[in-house]
Each structure stands twice: as C-alpha cells, then as structure tokens.
Amino acid sequence: MSKPTLYRGGKIASEGSSRLRTADVVVDKGIITQLGAGLRAPRGSDVIDCGGKLLMPAMFDVHVHLREPGREDKETIRSGSEAAINGGVTGIVAMPNTDPAIDNGGLVQSVMDIAAEKARIPVFTSGCITRRRAGEELAAIAEMKEKGALIITDDGSPVCDPLVLRRAMEYAREFGLILASHCEVMELSGNGAMNEGRVSYQLGIPGIPACSEEICLDRDIRLAQHTRAHVHIQHVTTARGMETIRRFKKEGVKVTCEVSPHHLIFNEEDIRDYDSSYKMNPPLRTKDDNKRLLKGLIDGVFDVIATDHAPHTEFEKNQDFGSAPFGITGLETAVISLFHHFIRSGKFGWDLLVKRYSAEPRRLMGLPEAKIAKGEKAEFLVFDPHGTTRFTKQYMRSKSSNTPFLDQELEGAIDRVVLGNKVLVDRMKRARGK
Ligand SMILES: [Zn+2]
C-alpha cells in the first residue's frame, strides 16, 4: 500500500555520538532499507527533503498519566497517546492512579485492550504496589505482571509503611519487576503547594520541604539495598536527593531514576503570579537545583528523562493556587522545550536526548531501542531546528492544556513522526519523487 520514502540529506542523531552525520534514509514497508550518502530514490518513491533537519529515534516516556478509567474528561488512552505522538514519543507507560486504581490483572488487561484498539503507538501500563493505592495490602502483583504490567508503582503517593514497601520489594524482586517510587513523607508535605523556602514565605503559600522527598528517597533506596530489589526513583527534584542516588549507585544498589523537563527548566521563582500551571508534585525547587540536576543529567546520574504528563481540566486548574490539583502536561512540549532551553545553546547534545529519552527508557522497560540503522523498523522523528512551535490549544492533542508553555512560541518544530509504515504526524512540505 505504501510507496518507499527517501528522506534526503538529514542529519542523523544517535545516542552513541555527539557528531551528527548527514545521510539519506530509505524507508520501505516500514523498514529502513537503505542508509547512506547520495542514495538514489527508489522507483516511485516519495522524496522528502530533510536538508537542515534532524532525524532521530522516536522517544519513549516511562511516566505518563492517561486518566482512563475514571477521569476521561482530563485525558483518555487515545488522547494521551495522540499527545505523545505529537511530541515525537512513540511509546508510553501509563501510571495506575486512575479511578479505579489499576491494582489487578483485569484492569491491566482492560487498559491494554483499550490501548490496542484506540492508540496508534504501543501503550504500556504499570500496576499499583498496594491495593487501591491505599498503602496497606499488596496489590495482585503476580497477576498484573502476567497481564503485561511493566512496573509497579503507587505514583501520586508514597508507600508510607516501610514494612509494606519491604514486602512489595521482595515480591517485585521475585517477579523481576521494577518498583517505581514516588518519594514523599506525607506528614512533612502536609497541605504544602510549592517548595518550602524564601519564595513560599513571600507568597504566603504553604511549603513542601525538600527533605519530604529526600527522607523518603533515602528510605526507599535503603530498602532496595536490603531486599536487592530494583527501585526506580520517580521525578527527582532536589540536588541532595540526586547525590544520594549517586552514592548508592556507586555502592552497587539497583537504583535508577528520572528527571522531568520541567524540573530542569523551571524553579520556584516562576510561581510569582500564583499561576497554577507551575504547580506540581514534587514541586519546582530552586534555581540551584535546576543547575545541579542539569549537571546530573549530563554526567549520567539520571537514567531517563520522563515527563510525568499530568493532565487536568481548566476548571480545576483555574482554582486558586492552593486548591488547584498538582501536575502539568508534558508529552507535547518535552523534546521542543529541551531543544529550546539546552540543546540550542550547546548545554548538551542530541545524543544525550536520544540516550535519555529514547534508548535508555526502552532498555529500562526491557524493550528494544528505536534505531536509525539499516534493517531496523522505522521509528523516528524529523525535527526542524530552524522552525518554531507555538503551543496553542489547537496545536496540542491532549484533552488538557495545563502547561506553562501554553501559547508560548519555542524554537524547534517536529515535522514528522514515523512508526513502521505509518506517518503519524506530518507537517512537512514534500517534493514529488520520480
Ligand atoms: Zn509522582
């Protein structure tokens, strides 16, 4: 049904090399059949001029809230997967804090069934650590694993009882599952709505201290050390927490971790006008944390970048800062905002983005990487570093638009997203081939 396509003269980004090499790429029936310089267009092919543009492996996000079942007014498996596609992401892992929470095999199965029917990309799900995410009894972990849950997590909440967490880790280890941890001491967070510190005092907003995250993170890694389970620390926001992870990694503990684009780009100073699109949990920390987390990403403490895409309705987000729910969307803005803020200015290279937001997340989940190489399945995006993107509601495909980037124009544009023999996004002008 599809003709071959020649992508001519793009620069190829890969995780292994900071040098971009210019090459032509031929995709036929969903497979990269040729890769090299000066390729001749196969008979009857479409020719796409990629001069000045980049081709890079499509991204994978291990931390996404799809809100289905229960809050389909915020997002659905379909709309969330379309948001992913729009951001150049061709695989996602859904969090289980839905309503009802995904804590048994039947619910895992139902998410997978809906995804198979409605999503144009692979959508995976996680399962809860504890039943109803209540932190008391273990969820049906074996059953969820059997139905295809990739990780277990009570994300949105910590597992407060260390003995319950210990048992969960022992279980996770036996089943070869990663236990992903949302680190927070609830008593310390209290009714906090932003980072506790100078800015929260000035604004009169109750604070969430950094130690709320750091104490729980420390505890969870020590339990992983003791049980020999693999713990994955979600959305790390403080430099001290990051240093704890670095130390335990050196000791050989099986700990991996993620950082979100917003915790690299924004900090508490951005909350000045009580804009709830800067409200998330864990909260934006300090300018110094921004800098040090960025260094951590570059020197390799962070295994993966993950957005924690957390859609909410306008109605809910328009409440006052204290009452609005935590969370911002992220799937559609991640690649472009990281380009705009860091890659453009040379803070890090495309290879790092590909490694931390495409290759490593897939390896972490036990999936094959997307690669731009001969014989591989086509799974890449065409990025225009000279283009711009305005994140209007019309542009975004998420049902929600609770992002600080709303209506902002950033440098960089995703022109095309290719998965197998399907072009999932197409904003390119194309020239007819012969
Ligand atoms: Zn979380």
Side-chain angles (χ1 to χ4, degrees):
M1 64 189 216
S2 59
K3 328 184 240 189
T5 305
L6 170 68
Y7 293 86
R8 179 166 276 157
K11 293 180 187 138
I12 315 287
S14 65
E15 66 166 325
S17 163
S18 57
R19 264 191 53 242
L20 300 168
R21 73 159 173 147
T22 302
D24 300 339
V25 175
V26 174
V27 175
D28 193 7
K29 297 183 181 71
I31 304 291
I32 297 173
T33 53
Q34 294 182 67
L35 178 82
L39 295 180
R40 182 175 301 182
R43 179 180 287 275
S45 61
D46 269 344
V47 178
I48 308 282
D49 177 14
C50 295
K53 303 192 180 188
L54 285 110
L55 268 66
M56 72 191 83
M59 306 301 154
F60 189 97
D61 203 312
V62 300
H63 193 151
V64 171
H65 296 272
L66 295 179
R67 308 297 190 207
E68 183 175 358
R71 286 306 303 267
E72 290 84 351
D73 54 331
K74 298 182 190 219
E75 198 77 290
T76 61
I77 291 168
R78 185 193 180 91
S79 67
S81 60
E82 288 299 319
I85 291 167
N86 207 26
V89 178
T90 55
I92 51 179
V93 181
M95 292 296 107
N97 64 335
T98 46
D99 186 13
I102 301 165
D103 64 358
N104 63 66
L107 278 165
V108 168
Q109 185 67 57
S110 109
V111 169
M112 307 281 279
D113 288 347
I114 296 169
E117 191 190 328
K118 306 273 187 189
R120 297 192 291 158
I121 54 170
V123 172
F124 302 93
T125 187
S126 52
C128 292
I129 298 170
T130 65
R131 202 161 286 174
R132 297 187 313 279
R133 284 174 64 249
E136 287 155 13
E137 311 154 74
L138 294 188
I141 295 171
E143 190 184 292
M144 293 189 295
K145 155 118 189 180
E146 197 191 298
K147 297 292 183 188
L150 286 187
I151 53 174
I152 53 170
T153 176
D154 273 1
D155 182 45
S157 319
V159 177
C160 297
D161 183 334
L163 185 60
V164 173
L165 187 62
R166 176 192 174 162
R167 297 287 175 244
M169 282 190 180
E170 287 164 348
Y171 231 78
R173 186 199 60 214
E174 289 311 310
F175 286 96
L177 277 167
I178 296 171
L179 184 146
S181 219
H182 167 116
C183 296
E184 180 171 17
V185 177
M186 297 311 285
E187 294 86 345
L188 287 171
S189 294
N191 64 344
M194 67 173 288
N195 183 47
E196 180 180 306
R198 194 172 43 81
V199 183
S200 72
Y201 302 143
Q202 284 167 354
L203 296 177
I205 295 173
I208 299 173
C211 65
S212 168
E213 180 177 340
E214 291 155 357
I215 291 170
C216 189
L217 177 151
D218 193 85
R219 180 201 72 164
D220 290 9
I221 301 175
R222 283 174 195 279
L223 280 170
Q225 182 173 41
H226 185 71
T227 59
R228 288 176 290 112
H230 178 164
V231 68
H232 175 76
I233 307 295
Q234 299 175 295
H235 42 51
V236 176
T237 70
T238 82
R240 273 197 306 266
M242 177 186 81
E243 291 309 327
T244 302
I245 296 168
R246 191 198 303 273
R247 204 177 72 236
F248 279 103
K249 277 188 164 187
K250 274 195 194 125
E251 286 183 32
V253 178
K254 264 191 149 180
V255 52
T256 51
C257 60
E258 68 191 34
V259 66
S260 73
H262 52 270
H263 287 116
L264 295 167
I265 296 168
F266 302 115
N267 60 65
E268 57 184 1
E269 311 270 344
D270 292 301
I271 303 171
R272 290 285 174 205
D273 57 355
Y274 299 89
D275 180 352
S276 72
S277 53
Y278 292 94
K279 179 180 177 182
M280 68 285 290
N281 188 23
L284 297 173
R285 302 292 184 184
T286 67
K287 211 176 219 171
D288 186 56
D289 288 309
N290 284 158
K291 263 191 244 152
R292 292 173 64 193
L293 295 179
L294 178 64
K295 271 188 82 183
L297 176 65
I298 293 165
D299 69 25
V301 189
F302 289 110
D303 299 272
V304 302
I305 294 167
T307 60
D308 191 6
H309 177 82
H312 291 294
T313 62
E314 234 173 287
F315 176 75
E316 286 169 296
K317 271 295 203 184
N318 280 342
Q319 301 170 87
D320 64 276
F321 196 89
S323 315
F326 291 107
I328 63 170
T329 59
L331 283 169
E332 295 175 269
T333 54
V335 169
I336 291 169
S337 64
L338 291 170
F339 168 72
H340 180 97
H341 285 278
F342 305 119
I343 297 176
R344 201 164 55 116
S345 54
K347 296 234 167 48
F348 59 75
W350 286 106
D351 52 330
L352 183 112
L353 181 76
V354 172
K355 181 170 187 177
R356 299 300 174 194
Y357 197 32
S358 174
E360 200 62 39
R362 287 186 170 91
R363 284 195 284 267
L364 189 65
M365 294 298 121
L367 302 166
E369 301 102 342
K371 284 185 191 149
I372 300 179
K374 195 174 163 183
E376 294 284 336
K377 178 177 165 186
E379 187 161 10
F380 59 82
L381 52 122
V382 180
F383 187 89
D384 183 1
H386 308 292
T388 57
T389 302
R390 186 176 289 278
F391 292 106
T392 59
K393 285 181 191 168
Q394 290 72 36
Y395 175 88
M396 292 189 284
R397 296 184 189 171
S398 169
K399 277 197 171 186
S400 299
S401 50
N402 50 308
T403 162
F405 296 114
L406 180 63
D407 290 328
Q408 287 200 24
E409 185 168 276
L410 269 61
E411 298 292 320
I414 294 169
D415 277 357
R416 192 174 250 230
V417 179
V418 181
L419 177 60
N421 57 13
K422 296 200 177 77
V423 177
L424 303 179
V425 168
D426 193 4
R427 301 188 186 99
M428 294 198 80
K429 294 178 198 86
R430 71 180 82 178
R432 290 291 294 181
K434 50 182 169 44

